Amino acid sequence: MSTAARPPGGVSRTAIATLVGTTLEWYDFFLYGTAAALIFNQQFFPSLSPTAGTLASFATLAVGFIARPLGGLVFGHFGDRVGRRATLVVSLLLMGLGSTLIGLVPTYDTIGLWAPFLLVVLRVVQGIGLGGEGAGATLMSMEHAPAGRRNLYAGFPQMGTPAGLVVANLAFLGTNSLAGDAAFTAWAWRIPFLFSVVLVAAGLVIRLRIEESPSFDQVRERGEVARFPLAAALQVGVVRLALTLLSVVANSAVAYVFMVFTLSYGTRHAGYDKQFLVLGVSGAAVLWFATIPVWTAVADRHGRRTMFLAGSAAILVWCAVFFPLLDTGNNALALVALAGMGLIIPVTHCVQGAIIADTFPARVRYSGSSLILQAGAVLGGGLAPMISTALVGTDASSAGVTWYLVAICALSLAGAVALFRTVPETRPGAGTARLPEFASEA
């Protein structure tokens, strides 16, 4: 059934279902990030120094990112051959299973080295599940979009990132408040992980009610299903792939420094209260969530390219002042720093999924999008907290982190400028008509 023939309620239900699903997946993923910053160094690496323990915790965080490309390749392959809907159901199940079992892993004091080993295994399960979710949810919503609202609908799954962060942080804060610091550190941190099973069950009920992507239905009806989708997707060319990847890598790096590393740095080196920082990051994530529909509507009306370039430049500037503001130790200035991130990050984040997706035709779009998105997540977000911790080192200076973020933002901005110069621009609001082979929207 074409998009035009589908009832409006069904299209809207699909967008909401992708938002709910990605929120639940990111809730699971961010639970781990918050725990890695605040808890896991004590529970799973107690024999190490505080800095080494934090590095080890963030290393297990990075393992999940390294597993994401594997999930992206596997789910991308079957998403292009079997369909988007079935793969998104399986990805949600994997994330829920991984998170729930993390809540049951004994600590180092109980089973020794088996504790961090099991943590890494379950982190790999999480990474594989999220690797299938990121591109698939964006495609499902974007390919259902009404004419002229492609960016808006592609932005719904992107809203799941800040929403998942807020829910995860509030779950940690609520549990900590009810149990107390000592009990929370000892055992109550497990409760938010165990609660994942309830949230995933609710998400499955919603996700099982959505229809298959109309773009994939058309591919299947025309007999154009690719036998090896990833190989076909690579025909876009190394230069185009490299520039697309470079354009989006900074957003991932900055977002994970803001969402995860800030909690560790702010409590250990800048003297902030843990609850203040978690609430500050959560409040900034609410701004991130609320402004995505605004920016995607702007992109649909005026084109996404100028907006993406302006957002890339703004992130670079704000990264130069973010840690200097935090280093003042002043709560008000810290809130300004965090709120600035919450307002600037969504400018590029909200359309990067659509930019990546429109690099590829529908028959290989899941595989191609997953390749770029997950490679960017590994090079950007997966390594950023660990690199930042190492750069702070023993002298507790944030200068190295600031230069690292500014440099990666400059590279992404240059990549975006080069990408948009090499790809012909079409008018905004092109709707959901089948795109020319490897052509991009505005």
Side-chain angles (χ1 to χ4, degrees), residues 124-155:
V124 169
V125 172
Q126 275 194 326
I128 291 173
L130 191 60
E133 175 73 19
T138 298
L139 298 187
M140 180 65 91
S141 186
M142 186 179 79
E143 291 175 348
H144 276 87
R149 307 187 75 184
R150 194 178 186 87
N151 292 301
L152 176 63
Y153 274 70

mmCIF file of all heavy atoms in Angstrom, residues 124-155:
data_model
loop_
_atom_site.group_PDB
_atom_site.id
_atom_site.type_symbol
_atom_site.label_atom_id
_atom_site.label_comp_id
_atom_site.label_asym_id
_atom_site.label_seq_id
_atom_site.Cartn_x
_atom_site.Cartn_y
_atom_site.Cartn_z
ATOM 1 N N VAL A 124 27.868 -6.355 24.789
ATOM 2 C CA VAL A 124 27.889 -6.701 23.365
ATOM 3 C C VAL A 124 26.467 -6.969 22.872
ATOM 4 O O VAL A 124 26.074 -6.519 21.787
ATOM 5 C CB VAL A 124 28.789 -7.923 23.118
ATOM 6 C CG1 VAL A 124 28.603 -8.454 21.696
ATOM 7 C CG2 VAL A 124 30.245 -7.564 23.347
ATOM 8 N N VAL A 125 25.669 -7.691 23.669
ATOM 9 C CA VAL A 125 24.270 -7.951 23.306
ATOM 10 C C VAL A 125 23.513 -6.637 23.143
ATOM 11 O O VAL A 125 22.765 -6.433 22.180
ATOM 12 C CB VAL A 125 23.592 -8.847 24.359
ATOM 13 C CG1 VAL A 125 22.086 -8.967 24.085
ATOM 14 C CG2 VAL A 125 24.234 -10.231 24.377
ATOM 15 N N GLN A 126 23.714 -5.722 24.094
ATOM 16 C CA GLN A 126 23.087 -4.408 23.989
ATOM 17 C C GLN A 126 23.502 -3.702 22.708
ATOM 18 O O GLN A 126 22.674 -3.118 21.999
ATOM 19 C CB GLN A 126 23.479 -3.542 25.186
ATOM 20 C CG GLN A 126 22.639 -3.711 26.424
ATOM 21 C CD GLN A 126 22.912 -2.577 27.407
ATOM 22 O OE1 GLN A 126 24.027 -2.075 27.520
ATOM 23 N NE2 GLN A 126 21.892 -2.172 28.119
ATOM 24 N N GLY A 127 24.796 -3.721 22.427
ATOM 25 C CA GLY A 127 25.302 -3.022 21.248
ATOM 26 C C GLY A 127 24.742 -3.582 19.960
ATOM 27 O O GLY A 127 24.392 -2.825 19.040
ATOM 28 N N ILE A 128 24.633 -4.907 19.870
ATOM 29 C CA ILE A 128 24.068 -5.523 18.665
ATOM 30 C C ILE A 128 22.607 -5.095 18.490
ATOM 31 O O ILE A 128 22.170 -4.760 17.385
ATOM 32 C CB ILE A 128 24.185 -7.052 18.745
ATOM 33 C CG1 ILE A 128 25.656 -7.465 18.631
ATOM 34 C CG2 ILE A 128 23.361 -7.726 17.651
ATOM 35 C CD1 ILE A 128 25.903 -8.945 18.860
ATOM 36 N N GLY A 129 21.852 -5.091 19.591
ATOM 37 C CA GLY A 129 20.448 -4.677 19.510
ATOM 38 C C GLY A 129 20.289 -3.241 19.071
ATOM 39 O O GLY A 129 19.479 -2.923 18.189
ATOM 40 N N LEU A 130 21.090 -2.335 19.665
ATOM 41 C CA LEU A 130 20.979 -0.923 19.295
ATOM 42 C C LEU A 130 21.496 -0.681 17.885
ATOM 43 O O LEU A 130 21.018 0.224 17.189
ATOM 44 C CB LEU A 130 21.729 -0.053 20.294
ATOM 45 C CG LEU A 130 21.471 1.452 20.172
ATOM 46 C CD1 LEU A 130 19.998 1.765 20.367
ATOM 47 C CD2 LEU A 130 22.307 2.234 21.162
ATOM 48 N N GLY A 131 22.466 -1.502 17.458
ATOM 49 C CA GLY A 131 22.971 -1.370 16.094
ATOM 50 C C GLY A 131 21.888 -1.603 15.058
ATOM 51 O O GLY A 131 21.904 -1.006 13.971
ATOM 52 N N GLY A 132 20.931 -2.461 15.369
ATOM 53 C CA GLY A 132 19.819 -2.693 14.454
ATOM 54 C C GLY A 132 18.723 -1.658 14.558
ATOM 55 O O GLY A 132 17.943 -1.460 13.618
ATOM 56 N N GLU A 133 18.666 -0.966 15.693
ATOM 57 C CA GLU A 133 17.572 -0.023 15.943
ATOM 58 C C GLU A 133 17.788 1.326 15.271
ATOM 59 O O GLU A 133 16.870 1.884 14.679
ATOM 60 C CB GLU A 133 17.422 0.184 17.454
ATOM 61 C CG GLU A 133 16.404 1.228 17.862
ATOM 62 C CD GLU A 133 14.981 0.776 17.671
ATOM 63 O OE1 GLU A 133 14.764 -0.438 17.565
ATOM 64 O OE2 GLU A 133 14.076 1.633 17.629
ATOM 65 N N GLY A 134 19.013 1.856 15.379
ATOM 66 C CA GLY A 134 19.248 3.245 15.002
ATOM 67 C C GLY A 134 18.782 3.597 13.607
ATOM 68 O O GLY A 134 17.962 4.503 13.407
ATOM 69 N N ALA A 135 19.295 2.884 12.600
ATOM 70 C CA ALA A 135 18.914 3.183 11.225
ATOM 71 C C ALA A 135 17.511 2.701 10.919
ATOM 72 O O ALA A 135 16.747 3.386 10.227
ATOM 73 C CB ALA A 135 19.908 2.532 10.259
ATOM 74 N N GLY A 136 17.138 1.532 11.441
ATOM 75 C CA GLY A 136 15.840 0.949 11.096
ATOM 76 C C GLY A 136 14.663 1.793 11.524
ATOM 77 O O GLY A 136 13.693 1.956 10.773
ATOM 78 N N ALA A 137 14.708 2.350 12.733
ATOM 79 C CA ALA A 137 13.599 3.165 13.213
ATOM 80 C C ALA A 137 13.454 4.443 12.395
ATOM 81 O O ALA A 137 12.348 4.872 12.072
ATOM 82 C CB ALA A 137 13.804 3.501 14.692
ATOM 83 N N THR A 138 14.601 5.053 12.043
ATOM 84 C CA THR A 138 14.545 6.263 11.205
ATOM 85 C C THR A 138 13.929 5.955 9.850
ATOM 86 O O THR A 138 13.079 6.702 9.344
ATOM 87 C CB THR A 138 15.960 6.837 11.023
ATOM 88 O OG1 THR A 138 16.486 7.208 12.298
ATOM 89 C CG2 THR A 138 15.935 8.061 10.116
ATOM 90 N N LEU A 139 14.336 4.840 9.244
ATOM 91 C CA LEU A 139 13.785 4.463 7.941
ATOM 92 C C LEU A 139 12.297 4.185 8.032
ATOM 93 O O LEU A 139 11.516 4.600 7.171
ATOM 94 C CB LEU A 139 14.499 3.226 7.400
ATOM 95 C CG LEU A 139 15.998 3.340 7.141
ATOM 96 C CD1 LEU A 139 16.502 2.085 6.447
ATOM 97 C CD2 LEU A 139 16.316 4.564 6.313
ATOM 98 N N MET A 140 11.890 3.452 9.058
ATOM 99 C CA MET A 140 10.477 3.091 9.194
ATOM 100 C C MET A 140 9.599 4.327 9.258
ATOM 101 O O MET A 140 8.554 4.419 8.600
ATOM 102 C CB MET A 140 10.283 2.233 10.446
ATOM 103 C CG MET A 140 8.843 1.814 10.676
ATOM 104 S SD MET A 140 8.205 0.716 9.375
ATOM 105 C CE MET A 140 8.626 -0.878 10.082
ATOM 106 N N SER A 141 10.033 5.315 10.054
ATOM 107 C CA SER A 141 9.238 6.538 10.183
ATOM 108 C C SER A 141 9.340 7.406 8.932
ATOM 109 O O SER A 141 8.335 7.902 8.417
ATOM 110 C CB SER A 141 9.702 7.328 11.412
ATOM 111 O OG SER A 141 8.870 8.437 11.651
ATOM 112 N N MET A 142 10.547 7.582 8.395
ATOM 113 C CA MET A 142 10.757 8.437 7.225
ATOM 114 C C MET A 142 10.044 7.891 5.994
ATOM 115 O O MET A 142 9.472 8.653 5.201
ATOM 116 C CB MET A 142 12.251 8.568 6.953
ATOM 117 C CG MET A 142 12.608 9.545 5.848
ATOM 118 S SD MET A 142 14.396 9.669 5.582
ATOM 119 C CE MET A 142 14.686 8.179 4.620
ATOM 120 N N GLU A 143 10.061 6.569 5.824
ATOM 121 C CA GLU A 143 9.449 5.967 4.642
ATOM 122 C C GLU A 143 7.924 5.924 4.725
ATOM 123 O O GLU A 143 7.263 5.628 3.732
ATOM 124 C CB GLU A 143 10.029 4.567 4.429
ATOM 125 C CG GLU A 143 11.489 4.617 4.007
ATOM 126 C CD GLU A 143 12.153 3.252 3.907
ATOM 127 O OE1 GLU A 143 11.558 2.256 4.386
ATOM 128 O OE2 GLU A 143 13.271 3.172 3.368
ATOM 129 N N HIS A 144 7.369 6.216 5.894
ATOM 130 C CA HIS A 144 5.922 6.369 6.038
ATOM 131 C C HIS A 144 5.486 7.837 5.914
ATOM 132 O O HIS A 144 4.287 8.129 5.943
ATOM 133 C CB HIS A 144 5.457 5.864 7.412
ATOM 134 C CG HIS A 144 5.224 4.384 7.472
ATOM 135 N ND1 HIS A 144 6.223 3.478 7.747
ATOM 136 C CD2 HIS A 144 4.093 3.646 7.309
ATOM 137 C CE1 HIS A 144 5.725 2.252 7.754
ATOM 138 N NE2 HIS A 144 4.442 2.319 7.490
ATOM 139 N N ALA A 145 6.434 8.763 5.803
ATOM 140 C CA ALA A 145 6.138 10.186 5.917
ATOM 141 C C ALA A 145 5.233 10.690 4.804
ATOM 142 O O ALA A 145 5.401 10.314 3.633
ATOM 143 C CB ALA A 145 7.437 10.987 5.915
ATOM 144 N N PRO A 146 4.281 11.577 5.136
ATOM 145 C CA PRO A 146 3.491 12.252 4.091
ATOM 146 C C PRO A 146 4.387 13.173 3.267
ATOM 147 O O PRO A 146 5.492 13.525 3.684
ATOM 148 C CB PRO A 146 2.457 13.068 4.893
ATOM 149 C CG PRO A 146 2.487 12.503 6.279
ATOM 150 C CD PRO A 146 3.873 11.971 6.487
ATOM 151 N N ALA A 147 3.913 13.569 2.107
ATOM 152 C CA ALA A 147 4.685 14.444 1.219
ATOM 153 C C ALA A 147 5.065 15.734 1.931
ATOM 154 O O ALA A 147 4.250 16.362 2.594
ATOM 155 C CB ALA A 147 3.872 14.760 -0.034
ATOM 156 N N GLY A 148 6.329 16.130 1.787
ATOM 157 C CA GLY A 148 6.813 17.380 2.345
ATOM 158 C C GLY A 148 7.146 17.335 3.822
ATOM 159 O O GLY A 148 7.499 18.366 4.403
ATOM 160 N N ARG A 149 7.074 16.163 4.474
ATOM 161 C CA ARG A 149 7.347 16.092 5.917
ATOM 162 C C ARG A 149 8.363 14.991 6.220
ATOM 163 O O ARG A 149 8.363 14.400 7.298
ATOM 164 C CB ARG A 149 6.034 15.862 6.675
ATOM 165 C CG ARG A 149 4.955 16.869 6.331
ATOM 166 C CD ARG A 149 3.731 16.723 7.203
ATOM 167 N NE ARG A 149 3.959 17.253 8.538
ATOM 168 C CZ ARG A 149 3.050 17.179 9.515
ATOM 169 N NH1 ARG A 149 1.880 16.593 9.292
ATOM 170 N NH2 ARG A 149 3.308 17.674 10.700
ATOM 171 N N ARG A 150 9.224 14.759 5.276
ATOM 172 C CA ARG A 150 10.205 13.674 5.407
ATOM 173 C C ARG A 150 11.156 13.896 6.587
ATOM 174 O O ARG A 150 11.449 12.978 7.361
ATOM 175 C CB ARG A 150 10.988 13.575 4.092
ATOM 176 C CG ARG A 150 11.792 12.306 3.925
ATOM 177 C CD ARG A 150 12.478 12.323 2.554
ATOM 178 N NE ARG A 150 13.165 11.069 2.272
ATOM 179 C CZ ARG A 150 12.586 10.006 1.716
ATOM 180 N NH1 ARG A 150 11.309 10.056 1.403
ATOM 181 N NH2 ARG A 150 13.281 8.916 1.491
ATOM 182 N N ASN A 151 11.661 15.108 6.753
ATOM 183 C CA ASN A 151 12.574 15.398 7.854
ATOM 184 C C ASN A 151 11.873 15.334 9.199
ATOM 185 O O ASN A 151 12.439 14.844 10.179
ATOM 186 C CB ASN A 151 13.210 16.781 7.660
ATOM 187 C CG ASN A 151 14.148 16.827 6.470
ATOM 188 O OD1 ASN A 151 15.113 16.089 6.392
ATOM 189 N ND2 ASN A 151 13.844 17.695 5.508
ATOM 190 N N LEU A 152 10.643 15.840 9.257
ATOM 191 C CA LEU A 152 9.891 15.811 10.506
ATOM 192 C C LEU A 152 9.704 14.383 10.991
ATOM 193 O O LEU A 152 9.955 14.063 12.170
ATOM 194 C CB LEU A 152 8.528 16.480 10.320
ATOM 195 C CG LEU A 152 7.588 16.427 11.539
ATOM 196 C CD1 LEU A 152 8.186 17.187 12.713
ATOM 197 C CD2 LEU A 152 6.212 17.000 11.178
ATOM 198 N N TYR A 153 9.286 13.495 10.103
ATOM 199 C CA TYR A 153 9.034 12.113 10.514
ATOM 200 C C TYR A 153 10.334 11.373 10.802
ATOM 201 O O TYR A 153 10.386 10.530 11.710
ATOM 202 C CB TYR A 153 8.209 11.389 9.449
ATOM 203 C CG TYR A 153 6.727 11.600 9.645
ATOM 204 C CD1 TYR A 153 6.144 12.852 9.412
ATOM 205 C CD2 TYR A 153 5.905 10.586 10.088
ATOM 206 C CE1 TYR A 153 4.800 13.068 9.611
ATOM 207 C CE2 TYR A 153 4.547 10.787 10.296
ATOM 208 C CZ TYR A 153 3.997 12.038 10.048
ATOM 209 O OH TYR A 153 2.648 12.241 10.271
ATOM 210 N N ALA A 154 11.392 11.681 10.071
ATOM 211 C CA ALA A 154 12.697 11.080 10.373
ATOM 212 C C ALA A 154 13.216 11.538 11.722
ATOM 213 O O ALA A 154 14.042 10.863 12.346
ATOM 214 C CB ALA A 154 13.700 11.428 9.279
ATOM 215 N N GLY A 155 12.722 12.676 12.203
ATOM 216 C CA GLY A 155 13.156 13.196 13.498
ATOM 217 C C GLY A 155 12.504 12.521 14.687
ATOM 218 O O GLY A 155 13.027 12.604 15.807
#
